[in-house]
């Protein structure tokens, strides 16, 4: 039987893993733009937001096993 404390820890760990995935994707987008010579902060901020789109779409898929909205 899973206690509430253990279940909460699992949810917290899953949220941290998902957040790390989102951050990695966004930082990779910004780094790619910066390495290409684009240093405009507004463009880099837009690249950061665009980097979040992929993982967010993944999270919204109901059949996604890792971070999906209906993950069990």
């Amino acid at each position: 039987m899973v206690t509430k404390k253990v279940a909460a820890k699992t949810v917290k760990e899953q949220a941290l893993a998902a957040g790390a995935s989102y951050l990695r994707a966004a930082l990779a987008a910004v780094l790619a733009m910066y390495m290409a010579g684009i240093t405009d902060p507004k463009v880099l901020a837009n690249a950061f937001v665009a980097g979040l789109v992929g993982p967010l779409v993944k999270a919204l898929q109901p059949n996604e096993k890792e971070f999906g909205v209906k993950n069990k």
Side-chain angles (χ1 to χ4, degrees):
M1 182 172 174
V2 177
T3 64
K4 288 182 182 180
K5 187 174 183 179
V6 172
K9 185 177 180 183
T10 304
V11 170
K12 181 179 178 181
E13 289 173 351
Q14 183 181 7
L16 288 174
S21 174
Y22 298 171
L23 186 60
R24 279 190 302 270
L27 288 177
V30 171
L31 184 60
M33 298 287 286
Y34 187 78
M35 290 174 63
I38 298 172
T39 58
D40 181 12
K42 185 176 179 180
V43 173
L44 294 176
N46 287 336
F48 183 81
V49 172
L52 294 174
V53 171
L56 287 175
V57 170
K58 180 179 178 180
L60 294 176
Q61 292 177 336
N63 59 347
E64 178 59 43
K65 294 178 183 176
E66 191 175 9
F67 301 128
V69 290
K70 293 189 179 185
N71 183 22
K72 290 186 180 184

